[in-house]
Amino acid sequence: MEYSIKTGDLTKQRTACLILGVFAKRQLSPSALLVDKASKGHLKEILKRGDMNGESGQQLMLYDVPGIQAERVLLLGLGKASELNRKRYMKALTASIKSLNDGHAIEAVWGLCDVAVSNIPEAGIVRETIVQSEESLYQFAETKSTVKKRQRPLKRLAVWLADRRQLKTAQKGLQQGKAIAKGIKLTKDLGNLPGNYCTPTYLADQAKKLGRSHAKLKVQVLEEKQMEKLGMGALLSVSRGSRQPAKLIIMNYQGGKADAKPVVLVGKGLTFDAGGISLKPAAAMDEMKYDMCGGASVFGTMMACLEMDLPINLIGVVPSSENLPDGDANKPGDVVTSMSGQTIEVLNTDAEGRLILCDALTYSERFNPATVIDIATLTGACIVALGNQASGLMANNEALAEELLDAGSSCGDRAWQLPLWDEYQEQLDSNFADMANIGGKGAGTITAACFLSRYTKKFKWAHLDIAGTAWRSGAAKGATGRPVPLLTRFLMGRCGL
Ligand code: BES
Ligand code: MN
Ligand code: ZN
């Protein structure tokens, strides 16, 4: 969809549909008051008839409102003004975008950017509005032979601002919103693509394609032979059961000063996780195509940064493999040697994410990073602990953890910190290797992070377990694009934005 910013007299906007807010008890928002005045009380008059009282979720379409240039006015219920938060604002936005897209108008003016939303900063409202608008229009159709065409889809949305002085900030917000939305879309598309399309080779090709389209991005893909030379025995042990060759994808974006230390994002790119010899149960196993969503979020965040031309050095590292049972696959009890030299007893072949990540993390040392963040659909235990609301966050540096938590809550893509205390480390003790790849009963999300912490001693590091947040199950099954909003917010913060 196309977006633009409009200022000037709201009542003179020539548009197919003007979207306005109504608070509880029929209280008009500031922009709705302007329209009411121009129409000599028409809005208040209609509301009095009782069709709408302003409760959150309500919608009322009005035609031929006198005194204004818009053909229609769509009133959205927002609930109590003092209780308006991100969730309610986004709910109203999503509902109106969807219903306009289903019919009515092909373009509209969004007149709700002047309402105060408790957990959206004023300067970010345009950006967040665009991100959510794109979110609500998203459809995955790549693997359908026919797509239902809409008769009159919504094509253009103008965001109206009361104050001309906000124009510059709003224009920036618009660009940022479009960039972040584009990153989220890429992450969703890659996540939703099934395992027979989205293989490690496919991901590597997508990275190369991204590299060709942006001058500041260099892409390198390491093949199994090269990984062998580097001693990546943990990563390679996972792909032994697969006919698809593993890839280590490296995307290097030089947007900052040549000598500025880079932020490195390491994303789990397991394109299908059957569990290997420790085979998973059949129910919902299809969802293990999403086991590359950490990697996909690195792609999406990279895309957003490229689109924003962020002045930062950012490196994306995506170890990619399948995890399948096979005569040559990893077996429980096998001992493998990681690139770091540490040996690992593979007690459960389904704990494969940490095996591919540990070598990618060791590899990241060579970039002399300012910070390393890994993102992974790592443990089912994280869903037990936090459900689908928050990503699990663990870090070896408190300031970094705080920075990520803040980034997440300021854009509604929240994380919640779990402890990474030394006491948990002993759960990884092994009789036959330096460590086991599982920590036994209890604190599965934390022991997975403990495992990774043994490969991240040389830099500031944080780990995001996105098992519960990267996709939705059930009727609305699909990738969410999380945590691209959190990561881009974090990187923008590092650029002073
Ligand atoms: N990809 C899974 C984690 C997962 C499971 C994500 C369910 C989302 C939904 C990971 O590779 C895995 O299998 N982890 C095991 C670890 C266990 C064997 C210690 C798990 O969580 O069961
Ligand atoms: Mn697994
Ligand atoms: Zn996995």
Side-chain angles (χ1 to χ4, degrees), residues 264-266 338-340 342 354 356-366 369-375 378 394-397 400 420 425 435 446-464:
V264 179
L265 301 179
V266 179
S338 65
M339 180 179 177
S340 71
Q342 300 176 93
R354 59 200 81 181
I356 66 169
L357 287 169
C358 71
D359 281 341
L361 287 165
T362 302
Y363 186 80
S364 301
E365 287 172 7
R366 69 183 51 210
T371 298
V372 178
I373 302 163
D374 81 77
I375 310 103
L378 205 62
M394 285 136 281
N396 67 8
N397 181 281
L400 174 60
L420 201 58
Q425 291 284 350
M435 70 198 78
I446 295 171
T447 54
C450 283
F451 182 95
L452 298 177
S453 76
R454 298 173 182 217
Y455 301 83
T456 57
K457 294 224 157 80
K458 296 196 178 141
F459 39 71
K460 288 177 193 161
W461 159 76
H463 161 63
L464 283 166

Side-chain angles (χ1 to χ4, degrees), residues 38-98:
S39 67
K40 302 215 163 63
H42 186 78
L43 299 192
K44 281 185 182 155
E45 196 56 46
I46 295 252
L47 290 176
K48 261 193 203 149
R49 293 184 202 172
D51 296 52
M52 180 182 195
N53 59 16
E55 262 170 46
S56 166
Q58 289 180 330
Q59 275 195 36
L60 185 64
M61 185 71 92
L62 307 177
Y63 297 87
D64 305 318
V65 174
I68 61 167
Q69 304 284 320
E71 292 168 27
R72 301 169 186 79
V73 169
L74 177 59
L75 297 180
L76 300 179
L78 297 172
K80 265 194 183 171
S82 59
E83 289 172 7
L84 183 60
N85 56 15
R86 169 187 299 276
K87 194 172 163 216
R88 289 206 175 153
Y89 179 86
M90 294 308 180
K91 182 173 156 192
L93 173 62
T94 303
S96 61
I97 297 281
K98 280 190 173 158

